[in-house]
């Protein structure tokens, strides 16, 4: 359950550590991600746990800024962009699901608005990777060896007022653009090229590294 931030210039100890308060209920942390790095002060870390907990740590204050539970073990987590003010992030889980959270508006009680989507196969979604050239396109890594390309569609209004006249976020929708099985084993890692749109590589449990080309992304 320990989340540690390291500085490569300081080898002996982490610069920041977030540990569970209840030592009798420690859960494994499976995945982490940086984000909200839009100036020299703001930094956030997302952490996903085997219990389904998702926590957002604020590095500036050293506290938990927000948390929720998605009911399944969290295998992957990622902001759509690390270097901008929080826009949205994706949480992928066991049981063939992923969640998209709209992070632009945080409600005092409801937190971030979100959607849940079930992929068309009965296996773990190991992670999500956003296309560097278009943050609304994201590739899901399937536990059945498939790669699934989704597009996020923004709502007409991203923020409305609740009954107490407080702003609350409105989540959009997702649509499946392409689904291709590339391996007989789970896809454990995936990375887009920052220079060539559509060029990517992935690694799977069959000990193979594959180079992938996705075409017509500029038309989506």
């Amino acid at each position: 359950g320990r989340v540690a931030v390291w500085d490569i210039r300081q080898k002996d100890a982490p610069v920041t550590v977030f540990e569970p308060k209840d030592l009798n209920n420690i859960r494994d942390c499976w995945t982490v991600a940086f984000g909200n790095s839009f100036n020299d002060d703001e930094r956030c870390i997302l952490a996903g746990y085997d219990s389904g907990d998702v926590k957002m740590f604020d590095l500036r204050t050293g506290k938990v800024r927000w948390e929720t539970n998605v009911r399944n073990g969290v295998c992957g987590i990622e902001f759509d962009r690390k270097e901008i003010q929080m826009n949205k992030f994706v949480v992928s889980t066991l049981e063939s699901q992923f969640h998209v959270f709209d992070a632009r508006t945080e409600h005092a009680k409801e937190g971030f608005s979100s959607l849940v989507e079930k992929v068309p196969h009965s296996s773990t979604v190991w992670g999500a990777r956003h296309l560097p050239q278009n943050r609304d396109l994201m590739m899901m890594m399937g536990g059945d060896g498939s790669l699934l390309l989704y597009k996020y569609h923004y709502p007409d209004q991203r923020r409305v007022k609740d009954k107490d006249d407080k702003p609350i976020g409105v989540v959009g929708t997702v649509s499946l653009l392409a689904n291709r099985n590339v391996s007989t084993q789970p896809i454990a890692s995936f990375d887009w090229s920052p220079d060539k749109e559509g060029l990517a590589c992935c690694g799977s449990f069959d000990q193979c590294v594959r180079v992938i080309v996705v075409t017509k992304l500029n038309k989506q």
Side-chain angles (χ1 to χ4, degrees), residues 39-63:
N39 60 29
D40 293 336
D41 298 321
E42 296 292 338
R43 298 287 188 278
C44 284
I45 294 177
L46 286 170
Y49 297 81
D50 67 337
S51 60
D53 287 340
V54 178
K55 297 186 179 184
M56 180 182 290
F57 300 104
D58 191 324
L59 288 182
R60 183 173 56 84
T61 62
K63 298 179 180 179

Side-chain angles (χ1 to χ4, degrees), residues 2-219:
R2 190 169 185 254
V3 175
V5 180
W6 295 82
D7 187 332
I8 59 174
R9 298 166 297 183
Q10 179 179 309
K11 298 181 180 179
D12 297 331
V15 295
T16 303
V17 176
F18 298 97
E19 295 181 304
K21 295 181 180 179
D22 185 1
L23 298 180
N24 296 319
N25 186 27
I26 297 176
R27 306 307 298 256
D28 292 338
C29 181
W30 282 357
T31 180
V32 292
F34 269 116
N36 203 39
S37 304
F38 62 94
N39 60 29
D40 293 336
D41 298 321
E42 296 292 338
R43 298 287 188 278
C44 284
I45 294 177
L46 286 170
Y49 297 81
D50 67 337
S51 60
D53 287 340
V54 178
K55 297 186 179 184
M56 180 182 290
F57 300 104
D58 191 324
L59 288 182
R60 183 173 56 84
T61 62
K63 298 179 180 179
V64 177
R65 174 172 172 172
W66 166 86
E67 59 184 319
T68 190
N69 187 283
V70 294
R71 300 184 180 181
N72 281 303
V74 179
C75 302
I77 199 164
E78 187 180 66
F79 286 100
D80 61 353
R81 286 287 186 276
K82 297 179 181 180
E83 70 282 357
I84 65 171
Q85 188 173 0
M86 285 190 298
N87 182 56
K88 64 180 185 295
F89 58 90
V90 176
V91 175
S92 61
T93 71
L94 305 175
E95 304 294 337
S96 313
Q97 292 182 345
F98 67 90
H99 302 251
V100 181
F101 291 83
D102 184 294
R104 190 53 59 89
T105 304
E106 183 178 1
H107 189 267
K109 294 182 179 179
E110 302 297 330
F112 300 118
S113 59
S114 66
L115 66 86
V116 58
E117 182 77 7
K118 190 173 180 67
V119 299
H121 62 69
S122 298
S123 60
T124 298
V125 182
W126 283 90
R129 294 292 179 267
H130 293 85
L131 181 69
Q133 296 81 7
N134 184 350
R135 66 187 183 190
D136 298 329
L137 297 178
M138 48 196 174
M139 188 71 78
M140 300 295 163
M141 297 176 273
D144 64 342
S146 63
L147 293 172
L148 304 101
L149 182 66
Y150 280 86
K151 182 175 183 178
Y152 181 80
H153 304 275
Y154 289 98
D156 294 334
Q157 287 183 289
R158 294 194 65 182
R159 178 186 298 181
V160 296
K161 295 293 184 66
D162 66 4
K163 62 181 181 179
D164 298 320
D165 204 35
K166 301 293 184 181
I168 186 170
V170 179
V171 73
T173 60
V174 293
S175 60
L176 179 62
L177 301 180
N179 180 5
R180 178 68 181 271
N181 193 282
V182 297
S183 174
T184 58
Q185 298 295 320
I187 306 297
S189 60
F190 184 95
D191 196 25
W192 293 104
S193 168
D195 304 313
K196 181 68 174 178
E197 185 179 71
L199 180 64
C201 62
C202 66
S204 55
F205 286 4
D206 60 1
Q207 302 182 15
C208 291
V209 175
R210 293 173 172 84
V211 177
I212 307 294
V213 177
V214 184
T215 59
K216 300 180 180 179
L217 289 174
N218 59 342
K219 297 181 179 180

